[in-house]
Amino acid sequence: MEGLEGPLLTIITASTPLLLAALGELVTERSGVLNLGVEGMMAVGAVCGFAAANLTGMPMLGVLAAILGGMVIAFLFGLLTLGLVTNQVASGLALTLFGLGLSALIGDAFVGVPGPGMPKLYIPGLSDIPLVGRIFFAQDFMTYLAWALVIAVWYFIFRTRGGLVLRAVGDNHVSAHALGYKVIRVRFLAVLFGGACAGLAGGYLSLVYTPQWTPNMTAGRGWIALALVVFAAWLPGRLVVGALLFGAVSYLALYLQGIGVGIPSQFLSMLPYLTTIVVLVVISRNRTLLRINTPACLGQSFVPDR
Amino acid sequence: MRIELIRRPEHSRTMVVLSPIIAIALTVIAGFFVFLAIGVDPLQALYIYFIEPLTAGWSIEALFVKAVPIILVAVGLSLCYLANNWNIGAEGQFAAGAIAGSVFPILVPGWNGPEVMVAMLVMGVLGGMLYAAIPALLKIRFGANEILTSLMLVYVAQLFLDWLARGPWRNPEGHNFPDSRPFDGGQVLPVLVGSDVRISLVFAVVAVIVAWFVLRRTLTGFQISVLGQAPRAGAFAGFSQNRMILLTFLVSGGLAGLAGICEVAGPIGMLRTTVSPGYGFTGIIVAFLGRLNPIGIFFAGLLLALSYLGGEGMQIALGISDQITRVFQGMLLFFVLACDTLIYYRIRFVRTGQHPAGEAKHGRA
């Protein structure tokens, strides 16, 4: 049993950033907005988090800065797609290109600088339980936050009035507007939440996963998070399964590289991307599941008539 | 205060022409503040970025060298986007074209007569087409989202290229550099003017003209725009959605592949671990800035080529990271999209709390 601990820890740390980013995007898409800028928001979150933690020496301030950074550029996206009804696909791409460039520009001064680590929080008593203790109760604060957020988002979407409004706006914006709900306001909040989560996910990368800054360190994780939302059929519970699957694939790639099988490292690095394609194909064949759960107004702009 | 969008009864023809110009002006203004924020003299920086590259003969030549791959990629992408197929993996198809096109010069180095170039170009186009066929077929057969699959394939292609250039295709006499053997003789594209503007400029111009003709004068072009704007109407007219997905992906993949092989057989002259500074993604911006119109794309391509040169100039003159290029490109796309709203809507500033009574209902999107 002892041998399982290492792999499980790696899987959980590798899946946490995907889970965080995908969770935010899930809420955004539930409101009917498709934000393809997750990769860019993560990159900005990562550099803001690293810069703030490094300049102040306080990792917690880094976490806040990461969230804030993600939200600021998500705000730009909201302004464009909701305020000026621009094409959401194109605006999301613009956000990714801009975010990757901006993060590299800001981070230029921080390349090669060692970052402050994030302390692990040991939950007294529980963290001493063999096997489960180290895995579930001796993580850093952001991992706990991610998993708590899954439950919170699930509860919000399916058990609260606010969640019902969110889904109504995403499924039929004309009716939601006619009922008096502020479609644009709901969507803006959902976009900002998505930005906060993506920023946090980026912060996780630069503060916990590999405590340093390198340009393009997000390495497509924002895009994988987008695929995860489709895989999860917009259901938070399924998101956990998907994120853990990707965590396991990342672990497998590292493991195979470590024991030195005769496969070039580039092919092992391809694994997460190839898995994403396979996962998308498999889920897309299940058309009923997708038809029931896809927000009906996903990607459509709305101009309220007054 | 609140901003209200009012749909124009008819789209504004003035704005169709004006909006890219406004977008460029706004980008320059925003650039002023970006430079201010990173602590350089904004006017000097803007001069180095946008004007200086146009003042010397060699840099105008470089402008065309960089514009060629961007234009080739963007023309293909514009057909895809017009048909509502979101191929964003041109960067991967570019790499696939570069790899496939390099098969002969690397595996049969002795074959360097003028005829080898034809084989290389054909291989490059085929490589890009086959690679673009993957997301197209996955979309047709399984309904898999082409945005995500085409983008994932970018990473796969780049990793594969990295492996080739460091591994089996590395030049044994290359002092351990991760490059292939340098191409020679007929394996290098002939120069057209100056020292580095090659025959590929002709390919780009031909692509622009052919795309323009297809879109304006042929049934296929008509089908592309009908299926893009009103898929149901297209289906009733008997146009095949699936055929169009495959066709637009193959064309855009083929053009990206052509750009890829022209880059390795031209300015680079060998296969390397990376063959593109993001031309595949820049092509997306150019397609939109050029209003998905081939002629517009030609000029947009030159402008975005300028953004690369400007970024390099900044790095040399002021020591600023050349990532500034991507910031500018992202801002430009933001502004282009925002200004396009002006074509269909008028913007009105309304003081909050005042609802003009009895006003006519406006359309909704």
Side-chain angles (χ1 to χ4, degrees), chain B residues 134-362:
Chain B
I134 302 171
L137 292 174
L138 293 179
K139 181 181 183 179
I140 294 169
R141 180 74 182 80
F142 303 108
N145 182 318
E146 79 276 20
I147 301 174
L148 297 171
T149 50
S150 63
L151 190 97
M152 287 297 128
L153 288 170
V154 172
Y155 292 101
V156 174
Q158 287 175 337
L159 285 164
F160 187 70
L161 171 63
D162 189 81
W163 171 70
L164 278 178
R166 289 178 200 279
W169 283 8
R170 190 171 63 191
N171 185 4
E173 290 132 39
H175 308 288
N176 267 330
F177 281 111
D179 300 329
S180 77
R181 61 171 286 275
F183 299 175
D184 55 23
Q187 299 159 348
V188 182
L189 277 175
V191 170
L192 201 64
V193 276
S195 60
D196 226 9
V197 179
R198 291 163 199 270
I199 196 98
S200 47
L201 177 63
V202 177
F203 303 157
V205 172
V206 169
V208 165
I209 294 168
V210 170
W212 180 86
F213 182 80
V214 167
L215 284 173
R216 288 295 154 86
R217 295 273 181 272
T218 67
L219 179 62
T220 308
F222 179 66
Q223 289 181 341
I224 287 176
S225 35
V226 171
L227 283 170
Q229 285 165 22
R232 271 172 64 82
F236 286 130
F239 303 161
S240 162
Q241 182 83 52
N242 286 346
R243 189 180 148 264
M244 206 46 77
I245 294 173
L246 193 60
L247 181 75
T248 51
F249 264 92
L250 287 181
V251 170
S252 69
L255 284 172
L258 178 64
I261 181 59
C262 287
E263 199 63 13
V264 291
I268 303 180
M270 61 181 77
L271 200 67
R272 284 195 174 149
T273 53
T274 47
V275 289
S276 152
Y279 290 145
F281 296 114
T282 307
I284 300 173
I285 302 173
V286 168
F288 280 103
L289 181 64
R291 322 219 59 92
L292 304 182
N293 171 328
I295 313 284
I297 285 170
F298 185 82
F299 293 103
L302 286 173
L303 182 74
L304 270 284
L306 177 65
S307 80
Y308 275 109
L309 285 183
E312 286 169 13
M314 292 293 291
Q315 194 171 27
I316 296 163
L318 301 175
I320 292 169
S321 160
D322 63 351
Q323 294 291 342
I324 190 91
T325 303
R326 288 158 86 186
V327 176
F328 264 98
Q329 294 185 350
M331 286 196 306
L332 183 61
L333 185 51
F334 275 140
F335 286 123
V336 167
L337 294 167
C339 290
D340 276 6
T341 303
L342 296 173
I343 298 173
Y344 298 102
Y345 296 92
R346 278 189 297 128
I347 291 181
R348 200 173 60 174
F349 298 93
V350 193
R351 246 188 268 146
T352 337
Q354 289 184 346
H355 268 274
E359 200 183 314
K361 290 281 177 198
H362 308 298

Side-chain angles (χ1 to χ4, degrees), chain A residues 12-254:
Chain A
I12 289 178
T13 28
S15 54
T16 303
L18 292 172
L19 187 62
L20 276 169
L23 208 55
E25 180 66 15
L26 186 140
V27 171
T28 306
E29 292 192 13
R30 275 280 180 184
S31 81
V33 180
L34 178 66
N35 185 352
L36 292 181
V38 184
E39 181 85 2
M41 299 190 294
M42 273 178 87
V44 170
V47 78
C48 289
F50 187 83
N54 216 288
L55 294 176
T56 62
M58 291 194 278
M60 284 310 290
L61 271 183
V63 174
L64 282 180
I67 295 176
L68 217 63
M71 282 176 91
V72 166
I73 74 159
F75 182 83
L76 278 180
F77 177 82
L79 221 51
L80 278 171
T81 57
L82 302 172
L84 292 171
V85 293
T86 57
N87 180 312
Q88 292 180 8
V89 174
S91 310
L93 290 174
L95 193 65
T96 288
L97 296 172
F98 178 70
L100 288 175
L102 185 68
S103 63
L105 190 65
I106 298 174
D108 211 29
F110 296 98
V111 176
V113 178
M118 178 76 73
K120 295 229 183 286
L121 290 181
Y122 294 94
I123 297 185
L126 293 177
S127 57
D128 298 330
I129 306 173
L131 187 63
V132 257
R134 293 267 298 123
I135 294 163
F136 293 108
F137 303 107
Q139 296 285 354
D140 51 274
F141 138 85
M142 286 166 91
T143 311
Y144 295 124
L145 183 68
W147 294 84
L149 217 51
V150 176
I151 300 168
V153 164
W154 171 82
Y155 185 83
F156 173 76
I157 292 180
F158 293 110
R159 290 290 181 273
T160 66
R161 191 178 165 74
L164 195 60
V165 173
L166 178 81
R167 284 186 286 149
V169 165
D171 276 331
N172 193 332
H173 48 215
V174 178
S175 302
H177 177 67
L179 286 170
Y181 296 124
K182 306 277 185 216
V183 173
I184 302 297
R185 188 177 302 168
V186 170
R187 287 188 171 167
F188 221 111
L189 290 174
V191 166
L192 288 180
F193 180 77
C197 286
L200 189 61
Y204 186 90
L205 289 178
S206 64
L207 293 169
V208 179
Y209 196 66
T210 44
Q212 56 174 334
W213 165 255
T214 40
N216 296 328
M217 70 182 302
T218 44
R221 286 188 182 84
W223 294 102
I224 294 178
L226 277 159
L228 273 180
V229 178
V230 180
F231 169 77
W234 294 268
L235 302 170
R238 288 177 60 101
L239 212 53
V240 176
V241 180
L244 286 176
L245 173 73
F246 274 93
V249 170
S250 312
Y251 170 74
L252 186 71
L254 283 175

